[in-house]
């Protein structure tokens, strides 16, 4: 281990603000990490190793972005495992869940293990790779879930190529129920363009009903319509095991402030109305939306430069999610900060059954430090991701990610 590496595993963080999510309070602590292991957490620690003064900035344990497209293998002109995992760490995520729509599709044990092996060598966020529900995302034949679960896969999704065949979806739910793995569903309907609101609304309704019928927990990805969230709220209230996520772009961008016919703003689900954004924020604030995820979907500038019809759907977003949501929800709208923290950490961990490490001694911790008072102008050139197709940029953030620690190692530092 070189000196630089050693330094990244041996350090003392002074004066960091640690949230107590249960009691919704903060406590200021020093944290000592030696050889990547959390040795001590207390009010005052002295040690002559590398000291990082956190200046009462906020620590968030176990951050996860549950919805990321890595493009690797096969689409590495858009993104690679290296760029996406480093970009995620810069964005403050210690873990990300990758969608399987690569080339080839991640739908068998060999492809799954190849990605996991390559990702494990990269100094960046840890990768949870999902596998497709249907073979080759064909929507026709279900995958061999047993084989994939035994290889370590814990998330399944057909994402934007939603499994339209309801019989097949019901079978997938019955097979995965009780397996400890998660179904992540981009709900939409066959034959209706995503731009039409009913595509999502009918899709959400079907997936909620199938989840209720099979008693299988389901996570609905990137909800964008008021009517969809209302269906989910009603289902939650009658005990259906549904969780859901929203993306920053659906919370803050809509037809009132974005040109919906421009390919730069083309995404699936599409940006909606001002009322939809308002309602999503309202339901997030009242606790019905579990998770905020980026749906990081990098494309080249060339691909996005074409007409709306020809351009691919998708926004790059993993590097701006944390700055945007803390700026917009906490600083500007004064929403409960603990709710925001849960939506990018423990709520997500629970959905994918990831270990919630927290800050216990003896473990290799995953955490992020965010400066809630530091302004940062984020522009396209600053992004590590190859995908510069981020609809928020340039963006004046009212906070900045200072450091990301993964398995007790500093993988990104801006302090
Ligand atoms: O906007 C999107 N982009 N939505 C999806 O469902 C897929 C994604 C992609 O892979 O580019």
């Amino acid at each position: 281990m070189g000196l630089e590496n050693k330094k990244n595993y041996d350090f003392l963080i002074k004066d960091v603000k640690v949230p107590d999510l249960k009691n919704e309070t903060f406590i200021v602590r020093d944290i000592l990490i030696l050889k990547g292991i959390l040795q001590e957490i207390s009010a005052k620690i002295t040690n002559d190793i590398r000291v990082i003064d956190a200046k009462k900035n906020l620590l968030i344990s176990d951050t996860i972005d549950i919805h990321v497209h890595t493009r690797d293998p096969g689409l590495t002109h858009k993104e690679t495992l290296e760029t996406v995992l480093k970009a995620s760490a810069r964005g403050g995520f210690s873990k990300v869940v990758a969608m399987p729509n690569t080339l080839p599709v991640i739908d068998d044990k060999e492809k799954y293990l190849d990605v996991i092996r390559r990702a494990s060598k990269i100094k960046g966020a840890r990768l949870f790779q999902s596998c497709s529900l249907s073979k080759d995302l064909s929507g026709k034949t279900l995958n061999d879930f047993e084989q994939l679960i035994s290889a370590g896969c814990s998330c399944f999704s057909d994402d934007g190529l939603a499994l339209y065949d309801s019989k097949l979806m019901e079978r997938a739910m019955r097979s995965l129920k009780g397996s400890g793995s998660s179904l992540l569903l981009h709900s939409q309907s066959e034959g209706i363009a995503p731009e039409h609101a009913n595509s999502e609304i009918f899709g959400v309704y079907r997936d909620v009903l199938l989840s209720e019928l099979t008693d299988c927990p389901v996570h609905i990805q990137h909800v964008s319509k008021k009517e969809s969230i209302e269906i989910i709220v009603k289902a939650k209230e009658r005990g259906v095991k549904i969780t859901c996520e929203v993306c920053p772009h659906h919370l803050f961008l809509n037809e009132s402030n974005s040109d919906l016919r421009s390919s730069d703003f083309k995404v699936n689900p599409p940006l909606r109305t001002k009322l939809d954004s308002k309602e999503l924020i309202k339901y997030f604030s009242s606790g019905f939306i579990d998770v905020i995820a980026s749906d990081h979907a990098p494309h080249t500038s060339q691909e996005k430069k074409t007409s709306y019809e020809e351009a691919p759907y998708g926004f790059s977003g993993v590097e701006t999610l944390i700055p945007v949501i803390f700026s917009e929800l906490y600083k500007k709208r004064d929403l409960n900060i603990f709710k925001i923290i849960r939506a990018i950490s423990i709520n997500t961990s629970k959905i994918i059954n990831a270990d919630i490490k927290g800050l216990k001694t003896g473990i290799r911790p995953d955490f992020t430090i965010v400066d809630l008072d530091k302004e940062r102008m984020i522009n396209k050139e600053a992004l590590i991701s190859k995908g510069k197709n981020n609809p928020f940029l340039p963006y004046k953030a009212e906070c900045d990610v200072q450091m990301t620690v993964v398995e007790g190692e500093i993988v990104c530092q801006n302090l």
Side-chain angles (χ1 to χ4, degrees), residues 67-71 75 78 99 101-102 158-162 186 188 221-222 249-250 266-270 295-299 304 312-315 389:
H67 199 147
V68 164
H69 295 268
T70 65
R71 310 301 192 205
L75 298 162
K78 295 177 194 263
M99 291 299 110
N101 63 337
T102 49
D158 270 6
D159 191 41
L161 291 162
H186 171 133
Q188 63 181 12
Q221 300 174 303
H222 45 44
H249 47 267
H250 293 124
K266 181 174 176 182
V267 67
N268 182 16
D295 193 7
H296 176 75
H299 295 293
K304 277 292 203 183
Y313 289 103
F315 296 156
N389 51 316

Side-chain angles (χ1 to χ4, degrees), residues 323-386:
V324 167
I325 64 167
F326 278 100
S327 301
E328 300 295 328
L329 292 177
Y330 175 61
K331 306 279 303 219
K332 294 184 188 159
R333 292 176 176 80
D334 200 24
L335 253 69
N336 180 310
I337 193 166
F338 301 98
K339 212 162 251 159
I340 302 170
I341 294 171
R342 282 189 209 102
I344 52 166
S345 60
I346 60 166
N347 286 1
T348 319
S349 303
K350 284 181 191 157
I351 291 165
I352 65 158
N353 291 313
D355 44 342
I356 302 171
K357 297 188 197 171
L359 292 175
K360 294 181 283 287
T361 53
I363 59 153
R364 292 186 178 277
D366 294 339
F367 61 81
T368 299
I369 298 177
V370 181
D371 185 339
L372 292 172
D373 292 315
K374 188 178 162 210
E375 285 192 356
R376 178 180 171 221
M377 193 66 200
I378 312 177
N379 49 40
K380 287 180 198 252
E381 293 70 45
L383 297 182
I384 294 174
S385 168
K386 284 193 184 185

